[in-house]
Amino acid sequence: MYIQTDNKLWNGRVDDWEDPASFRFHQLVQVIGTDELTSGENGFGILGFASDEGVRRNKGRQGAARAPDAIRQSLAALPYHLDGSGKIADVGNVYCEGDKLAEAQAELGQFASGILKKGLTPIILGGGHETLYGHYLGARASVGHDKTIGIVNIDAHFDMRNDPEPSSGTMFRQILEKDDKAGYLCLGIQELGNTRALFQTAERLGCQYILAKNLAVNDFKDTFTAIDDFSKRHDYLVLTLCTDSIVASAAPGVSAPSPFGLDPKTVKTLLTYIAGKTNVLSFDISEVNPPVDESNKTVRLAAYLVAETMHGFHD
């Protein structure tokens, strides 16, 4: 199910009605339907995926379906620093109805592909991390089946479970087992967030990963080298952030809080570095859970990370 965004979400303080240097996001975002996009666009297409059916199946805390609009509201008030980045179009939300997750992911993929084909960069606001599977479907449909796609995931978990039905914990296994032109690099893995069996699955399916404790070693030099090498081996990259990778004190409102998670500044550094790669197609942020958030802390952090990532795109 698809619903166009309510204009009222893009609201906030106005410092000046005419001076672009004083503008905030809500003054520049255009709320339109996907059928109003024209070919040859330049800029970003914001798309929500209001789903936490995958989280429910994965036995996590539900509530992420409410994140896309909550992130929009927080992003709306932030100062705009993307001069020269073209249009920012908000094209609405895809909703998961009941247990129809596969259908919702397929629809998300169709909308994401449409945004890419119009020349815009999709910024997808999840939803549970099952958002990534629909995101991937859109990227694959856009570039065709002969190109390689590398997925860079900032996450505490591999999300490669072998469960009876797809969930927010199965996506990367689903992709790697069916797509021999897909690669997977996971940054921020927590040893206590994954069983030994999941580490074995990651090795078997060729997943590259860097443990959370090793990301900032040598001032990120080794991590950046790994990202560079991964980027060079793939025609295109897809970037995804699971906010449960971030330390629980900074991001309490997630499906699975992480007591030893990453510092938000580390996540910002990774996102902006990766987004600067010229072969990055798109970005999604997932697992923000407004109903269990504390003082809007996680939602606000998510909005900041979205803005920083957009600013970092091909900078």
Side-chain angles (χ1 to χ4, degrees):
M1 182 174 69
Y2 166 79
I3 297 178
Q4 192 166 324
T5 302
D6 185 345
N7 265 300
K8 294 178 181 177
L9 294 172
W10 293 103
N11 218 315
R13 171 176 174 167
V14 175
D15 296 311
D16 194 287
W17 290 101
E18 298 180 358
D19 178 13
S22 298
F23 285 177
R24 297 173 185 272
F25 268 86
H26 71 88
Q27 294 176 268
L28 290 159
V29 171
Q30 301 175 40
V31 176
I32 60 177
T34 54
D35 57 347
E36 298 177 75
L37 293 174
T38 57
S39 297
E41 298 277 16
N42 177 49
F44 297 96
I46 296 173
L47 175 64
F49 188 56
S51 168
D52 53 14
E53 170 61 15
V55 175
R56 183 193 69 79
R57 296 180 185 184
N58 201 29
K59 301 178 175 59
R61 298 194 296 179
Q62 295 178 67
R66 291 167 57 178
D69 285 352
I71 295 171
R72 284 181 172 100
Q73 285 183 297
S74 193
L75 182 62
L78 295 184
Y80 184 83
H81 289 278
L82 305 180
D83 289 348
S85 296
K87 172 185 287 190
I88 301 184
D90 183 342
V91 298
N93 286 337
V94 173
Y95 287 80
C96 178
E97 293 184 296
D99 63 356
K100 297 179 180 178
L101 179 57
E103 294 87 342
Q105 289 170 321
E107 189 168 4
L108 173 63
Q110 291 170 9
F111 280 106
S113 176
I115 292 170
L116 282 164
K117 288 177 179 177
K118 295 298 184 181
L120 296 173
T121 298
I123 303 295
I124 303 173
L125 310 177
H129 209 183
E130 65 266 26
T131 300
L132 178 276
Y133 191 73
H135 180 181
Y136 153 79
L137 291 175
R140 176 51 78 198
S142 175
V143 305
H145 293 281
D146 59 332
K147 300 296 185 181
T148 56
I149 294 178
I151 305 172
V152 185
N153 179 28
I154 301 173
D155 203 335
H157 309 102
F158 285 116
D159 290 338
M160 300 177 79
R161 298 174 63 86
N162 186 23
D163 291 340
E165 59 181 354
S167 74
S168 62
T170 63
M171 308 83 61
F172 295 99
R173 184 173 186 142
Q174 289 174 258
I175 293 168
L176 295 178
E177 287 186 338
K178 79 169 190 177
D179 188 344
D180 62 2
K181 291 187 178 296
Y184 179 26
L185 172 63
C186 193
L187 307 173
I189 284 292
Q190 296 279 354
E191 289 175 304
L192 296 181
N194 302 270
T195 63
R196 284 185 294 170
L198 285 170
F199 277 92
Q200 292 167 1
T201 298
E203 296 286 352
R204 179 174 64 81
L205 292 178
C207 166
Q208 293 178 251
Y209 63 88
I210 300 177
L211 297 174
K213 65 184 181 182
N214 295 330
L215 282 175
V217 172
N218 296 327
D219 198 25
F220 292 98
K221 181 178 179 181
D222 294 343
T223 297
F224 288 164
T225 297
I227 293 168
D228 293 345
D229 291 345
F230 186 78
S231 175
K232 291 173 184 176
R233 292 200 304 274
H234 295 89
D235 296 310
Y236 298 100
L237 297 181
V238 163
L239 175 58
T240 177
L241 167 65
C242 185
T243 50
D244 70 15
S245 64
I246 302 171
V247 64
S249 58
V254 297
S255 173
S258 181
F260 298 129
L262 302 175
D263 182 278
K265 292 180 181 178
T266 293
V267 174
K268 171 191 167 184
T269 297
L270 294 172
L271 288 172
T272 54
Y273 187 80
I274 298 161
K277 298 295 178 185
T278 57
N279 58 342
V280 179
L281 290 172
S282 46
F283 168 65
D284 79 68
I285 183 168
S286 299
E287 299 281 348
V288 175
N289 190 332
V292 297
D293 203 5
E294 297 174 5
S295 303
N296 214 38
K297 185 186 292 187
T298 313
V299 170
R300 185 171 173 80
L301 174 60
Y304 271 70
L305 291 174
V306 168
E308 292 284 2
T309 304
M310 292 172 70
H311 191 265
F313 254 91
H314 307 169
D315 195 11

